[in-house]
């Protein structure tokens, strides 16, 4: 009986994993091309308003519910009234994300991978005629496989899928299926020669009361920054929507605003994924206020209807903030950048265990206690709003929030 | 508001942590003494029946509900009808465990630490006049602090407390308090100069389909071994109880049975904690059937009413089984011993995430994917019965078990 369970979910999970891994490989390869092209031709930024208008036109004309993005996948995995996750979501989000990055918007990539994974899982569920709860598990597989393959972190992917749907609960019955999907997805993506960045946490400072106090203060700030990010994305989305009834006009103006801000800062370092910011943060040479600029650029980009995702910008924001705090607190920059990297992410997504595991996968186990503190404290400080409005609250984070 | 929450649980969690850490330090020091004394004087084994009778006499005369041991702590943390966890549990379980180890019973130590932690937390809850849900969280703190300090693994302790109460759920609202308790408890124990064993996982074999298949087979066996252990302990407890109405007589006969079995195997290597078995397993020189003997000795010891706990024997059983399988499968012994170490434990306690984190804390992150597979698969294979009968089922482990 347990044998049957294993075989069933090995087959289903691997199918979703393989498809999502393939999609991620195509996506990451073309994203690399888009990033390099943009860096080589800085004038592409001037086309951002037009690109935005075109993305929004396609979503408006063909998107229907695909417009809901990540939230559609989360809603459906949570078992909302059944609604298809359409296959057209894949070309839409893929093209939308590539255009956003090619023309200098500031965005991430996990949203794209998760939506492609979700749409593919929805398709597999149809083929196998799965019942409601099984479909729900398969959608979690899609989320896990997308996340895992895009970042090269299969265990974080597994737990992200199980943890992101509901605050305070973990879908433990989905762990095996989503692990299979995440594991296979990652291998498939790697098999196409995709390489993931690696970061070294460096020296872990020796434990002391002073160090704990510094880390506590820093992680509270990580949590508040994550909160600020979620609030700001929601705020810009609402504001843009109420100002411009026409989505094409909205994204066009949104693109103009990005150009304006780019002139203000005088360079394009906040465009695209900004992976260099993370390298600079770990080396201790990022700018003191890089985090706030990256936060603003990303919120403005996503608020105006561009595509991509939030997670890589959250890594940028966290790592640069951590590095800035390291200078103030006379702590090693790489150590603090690593804590910020996962802490701000945990705060904005409400997935502390997945983020902790990601920390272990990326930075090793030597600083495990600090990684755990960072995820836990910033998660507790970020309130119940996350970047995913479809996320449910299963259990209040703490007693005081209940009131 | 969140600030108040932090301060409140920092104070409460640290209090429980400090008390439990102190108790663990006293316990581990005296346990070392008991183990060394037994090893130096093998004739102490002949006094095991009398020691058993005396332990059972004390529990019978003064124990009342303390007799329920770990299950009392779990029940109360789960919010059963309020029932005190009496302070007398501390001397009872401490003396009972020391006597069990001194006279050559086969048992562990986490039960003792968890019960002392639980009783101390119950006391702290009384002092601060906590309401029901707060008391429940504080009892989880006691479990976490006890576990953390006795094994030197604060993160595994944190998650063990949050995960052990209910299968398939994790008390996320207890994470911060129980982390504080586990962290402080571990530091306090360490400050008394207590040292914990460390094990090296050695070379991680390269990923291949064949390796995955071997690991899958091994982890299924780990799961079934964990299941066998739980069943056997329950079975011996029932059998002894139905055969002997008088608990003193029960433990006396139980002691005789252990002596008999010791004569059969011709040595005392399965007495006490048997930490040497783990060293031998990692070195690849443990006996092929050590795991089954240790399993039998421990089930017979605990079934007859001796005290201690199950976790260290589970480590022994898992590590030696892993090492035996390594020889059959031509894999590195240390690698397989590490997988068995945490896998059998995950199966018998139904706490896969805590066991995975323990693996990371003990063996580092290099083999993280395999550690995760081991905990997950063996957890899935072990059914819903665990060594803790008070554990509730929050969510069936998988679809097929539901029927």
């Amino acid at each position: 009986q347990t044998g049957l369970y294993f075989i069933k979910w090995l087959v289903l999970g691997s199918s979703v994993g393989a498809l999502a891994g393939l999609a991620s490989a195509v996506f990451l390869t073309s994203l690399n091309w888009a990033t390099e092209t943009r860096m080589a031709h800085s004038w592409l930024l001037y086309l951002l308003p037009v690109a935005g208008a075109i993305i929004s036109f396609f979503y408006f004309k063909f998107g229907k519910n695909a417009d809901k993005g990540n939230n559609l996948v989360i809603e459906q995995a949570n078992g909302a009234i059944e609604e298809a996750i359409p296959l057209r979501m894949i070309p839409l989000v893929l093209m939308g994300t590539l255009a956003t990055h090619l023309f200098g918007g500031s965005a991430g990539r996990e949203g794209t991978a998760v939506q492609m994974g979700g749409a593919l899982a929805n398709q597999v569920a149809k083929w196998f005629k799965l019942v409601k709860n099984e479909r729900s598990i398969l959608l979690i597989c899609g989320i896990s496989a997308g996340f895992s393959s895009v970042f090269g972190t299969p265990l974080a992917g597994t737990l992200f899928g199980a943890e992101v749907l509901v605050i305070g609960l973990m879908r433990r019955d989905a762990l095996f299926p989503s692990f299979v999907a995440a594991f296979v997805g990652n291998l498939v993506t790697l098999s196409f020669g995709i390489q993931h960045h690696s970061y070294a946490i460096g020296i872990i400072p020796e434990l002391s009361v002073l160090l704990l106090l510094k880390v506590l203060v820093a992680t509270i700030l990580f949590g508040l920054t994550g909160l600020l990010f979620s609030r700001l994305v929601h705020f810009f989305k609402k504001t843009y929507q109420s100002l411009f009834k026409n989505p094409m006009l909205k994204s066009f103006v949104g693109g103009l605003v990005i150009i304006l801000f780019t002139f203000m800062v005088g360079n394009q370092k906040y465009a695209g994924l900004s992976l260099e910011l993370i390298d600079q943060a770990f080396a201790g040479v990022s700018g003191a206020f890089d985090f706030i600029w990256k936060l603003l650029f990303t919120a403005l980009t996503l608020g105006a209807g561009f595509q991509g995702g939030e997670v890589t910008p959250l890594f940028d924001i966290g790592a640069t903030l951590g590095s800035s705090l390291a200078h103030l607190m006379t702590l090693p920059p790489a150590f603090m950048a690593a804590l910020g990297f996962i802490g701000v992410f945990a705060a904005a997504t409400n997935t502390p265990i997945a983020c902790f595991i990601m920390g272990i996968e990326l930075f090793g186990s030597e600083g495990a206690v600090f990684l755990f503190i960072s995820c836990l404290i910033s998660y507790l400080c970020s309130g119940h709003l996350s970047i995913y409005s479809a996320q449910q609250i299963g259990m209040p984070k703490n007693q005081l929030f209940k009131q």
Side-chain angles (χ1 to χ4, degrees), chain A:
Chain A
Q1 213 191 25
T2 309
L4 266 177
Y5 171 86
F6 276 130
I7 292 165
K8 170 176 154 190
W9 286 108
L10 266 176
V11 171
L12 291 171
S14 322
S15 313
V16 170
L19 290 170
L22 182 64
S24 290
V26 171
F27 169 49
L28 289 175
T29 307
S30 43
L31 184 59
N32 264 346
W33 166 84
T35 303
E36 279 165 20
T37 309
R38 175 183 57 77
M39 306 251 256
H41 308 284
S42 59
W43 52 265
L44 284 168
L45 178 65
Y46 299 112
L47 300 178
L48 187 64
V50 177
I54 296 176
I55 297 171
S56 285
F57 171 77
F58 275 99
Y59 267 94
F60 177 69
K61 200 78 184 169
F62 310 107
K64 291 179 194 161
N65 64 353
D67 193 31
K68 290 200 263 177
N70 283 340
N71 288 316
L72 177 62
V73 180
I74 293 177
E75 256 175 45
Q76 289 298 306
N78 262 331
I81 305 130
E82 214 159 314
E83 184 181 347
I85 302 176
L87 268 185
R88 64 177 172 279
M89 196 176 212
I90 297 175
L92 276 171
V93 73
L94 185 61
M95 289 303 146
T97 305
L98 290 176
T100 301
H101 282 274
L102 180 63
F103 298 105
S106 167
R109 45 193 168 166
E110 107 296 343
T112 316
V114 163
Q115 290 174 44
M116 294 192 298
L120 291 164
N122 184 70
Q123 216 53 29
V124 174
K126 248 196 224 165
W127 293 337
F128 285 93
K129 300 195 170 46
L130 298 188
V131 300
K132 189 171 176 179
N133 191 39
E134 293 172 325
R135 173 172 180 265
S136 170
I137 291 178
L138 210 63
L139 293 181
I140 296 177
C141 290
I143 298 174
S144 290
F147 189 97
S148 155
S149 56
V150 90
F151 296 119
T153 52
L155 301 179
T158 304
L159 289 163
F160 184 77
E163 204 177 22
V164 74
L165 303 182
V166 182
I167 294 180
L169 291 180
M170 186 182 281
R171 281 289 297 254
R172 209 83 78 74
D173 57 340
L175 272 187
F176 176 69
S178 65
F179 171 70
V180 173
F183 185 75
V184 171
N186 180 43
L187 286 183
V188 168
T189 303
L190 289 177
S191 74
F192 285 91
I194 299 286
Q195 291 188 332
H196 300 285
H197 263 62
S198 67
Y199 307 97
I201 191 170
I203 298 158
I204 314 286
E206 216 177 310
L207 188 64
S208 69
V209 175
L210 183 64
L211 176 65
L212 280 177
L213 280 177
K214 287 176 176 176
V215 167
L216 189 68
V217 170
T219 50
I220 291 173
L221 292 174
F222 295 153
L224 296 177
T225 306
L227 175 67
L228 177 66
F229 181 84
S230 310
R231 293 265 154 108
L232 219 55
V233 171
H234 287 290
F235 170 76
F236 282 133
K237 276 196 177 156
K238 270 198 182 164
T239 311
Y240 270 120
Q241 237 155 23
S242 66
L243 286 177
F244 308 99
K245 295 295 161 213
N246 180 326
M248 281 75 86
L249 184 61
K250 173 181 86 178
S251 299
F252 186 85
V253 175
L256 288 179
V257 173
I258 299 283
I259 296 179
L260 189 75
F261 271 83
T262 306
F263 273 110
M264 271 175 57
V265 298
N267 61 57
Q268 291 197 18
K269 67 178 179 175
Y270 309 113
L273 293 173
S274 305
L275 289 176
E276 327 74 61
L277 284 184
I278 302 183
D279 293 327
Q280 291 163 10
F282 274 80
V285 297
S286 55
F289 297 104
D290 275 352
F291 75 98
I292 198 79
W293 283 114
K294 184 68 189 171
L295 196 158
L296 196 61
F297 270 89
T298 309
L300 283 169
T301 302
L302 297 175
F306 289 91
Q307 297 294 319
E310 294 89 348
V311 174
T312 306
L314 288 170
F315 293 159
D316 299 331
I317 295 164
T320 49
L321 173 56
S323 193
S324 302
L325 291 173
H327 291 299
L328 286 177
M329 295 177 165
T330 60
L331 286 173
F335 170 68
M336 291 296 285
L339 297 190
F341 186 109
I342 54 169
V344 174
F345 170 38
T349 56
N350 289 327
T351 56
I353 309 282
C355 294
F356 166 64
I357 304 289
M358 183 167 214
I360 297 281
E361 286 186 286
L362 293 177
F363 310 124
S365 61
E366 224 195 319
V369 169
F370 296 104
L371 297 173
F372 190 82
I373 292 177
S374 181
C375 294
L376 181 60
I377 304 286
S378 39
Y379 159 77
L380 286 173
C381 292
S382 74
H384 287 114
L385 183 78
S386 85
I387 52 174
Y388 310 115
S389 53
Q391 190 176 55
Q392 297 178 356
I393 302 176
M395 194 182 269
K397 288 185 177 181
N398 61 48
Q399 284 297 95
L400 287 167
F401 274 133
K402 213 190 257 170
Q403 291 141 20

